[in-house]
Every structure is written in structure tokens, then in C-alpha cells.
Amino acid sequence: MTSSTPTNVPPNADEANEANDSDFVLLAGGLAELATQNPVRDGSVSPHRTYSGEHVRIRHLAFDAGVVLAEHSAPRPVVIIVVEGEVLFTVGTDTHRLSAGAVLHLDQGISHSVTAVETSRLVLTLVV
């Protein structure tokens, strides 16, 4: 296993995209860095374009406690990872309580909503 400490970590999608000519782009070195890139905003959900590549888009959503992301659907298949906090994830009539470490997949067009039980962060990977 090779370990390295990158000296130039792109703080946003535009800089990450410029680094696309590399085989390795470190988007965040940990949760603290992810939080710095996209702080939680009082009473809202804050979306952040973390990375946009040829075949994948990565988005980071920061939720204040109690915020509801109304029912919607993704135009592409999506993998969602809860990286901090706890959310209620509703698909149809089924609601799932998800905490940090939860991973789920949704096909494109599947309606869903998210309610932050506490301050939370989700990382979404959309397959392009």
C-alpha cells in the first residue's frame, strides 16, 4: 500500500475538474475538510458540486437539523452515503432511519425525500 500526502487538494468542483488529467484526485481528506468545503447553513440544505467527471458526478449535501428535502427524483442512478448525522429517507410509503455509514442505491426516476433528524451530511454519486 502506498501512502502519500497531497499538497494540492481541490476545494471545489471546478478545481477538481482541472485536475482530471491525474489518475488521483483527493476531493476531501476527511469529514472535517468536507465540512469546511460545505458548511451547514441554518434552516436549509446546502448542495455542493464536489466533482464532475466524464462518467460520474459527486455532490455533497449538508443539512441543518429538521430540514426536509421535499420529494424529488434523480435523473440518473445514484449511490447515497450518509457520512454524518442521521436522516429519515423515504421512498414511496417506506421510511428508513439512516445514520453515518449507511449506503443506498436508487435507480433513476425513483421518487424520494430526506428529513434530517440532526445535522447531517450526505455524499451522492451520480452515474453519468
Side-chain angles (χ1 to χ4, degrees), residues 3 12 15 18 22 33 35 40 42 47 53 67 73 97 106 118:
S3 176
N12 62 53
E15 288 185 32
E18 289 174 11
S22 171
E33 189 171 347
V40 172
D42 288 342
V67 170
S73 62
R97 183 176 289 267
L106 284 176
E118 59 190 44

Side-chain angles (χ1 to χ4, degrees), residues 53-105:
E54 184 178 349
H55 301 291
V56 68
R57 292 184 186 139
I58 300 173
R59 304 296 182 252
H60 166 213
L61 303 178
F63 289 80
D64 194 14
V67 170
V68 176
L69 182 58
E71 188 173 16
H72 64 285
S73 62
R76 306 196 184 315
V78 62
V79 174
I80 302 167
I81 303 171
V82 179
V83 295
E84 181 179 37
E86 186 173 301
V87 299
L88 298 176
F89 196 92
T90 302
V91 179
T93 59
D94 296 327
T95 298
H96 306 272
R97 183 176 289 267
L98 306 175
S99 57
V103 180
L104 62 112
H105 171 269

Side-chain angles (χ1 to χ4, degrees), residues 31-42:
L31 185 55
E33 189 171 347
L34 201 62
T36 299
Q37 292 172 5
N38 188 22
V40 172
R41 296 188 180 127
D42 288 342

Side-chain angles (χ1 to χ4, degrees), residues 97-115:
R97 183 176 289 267
L98 306 175
S99 57
V103 180
L104 62 112
H105 171 269
L106 284 176
D107 281 331
Q108 68 185 38
I110 303 297
S111 293
H112 59 283
S113 65
V114 181
T115 301

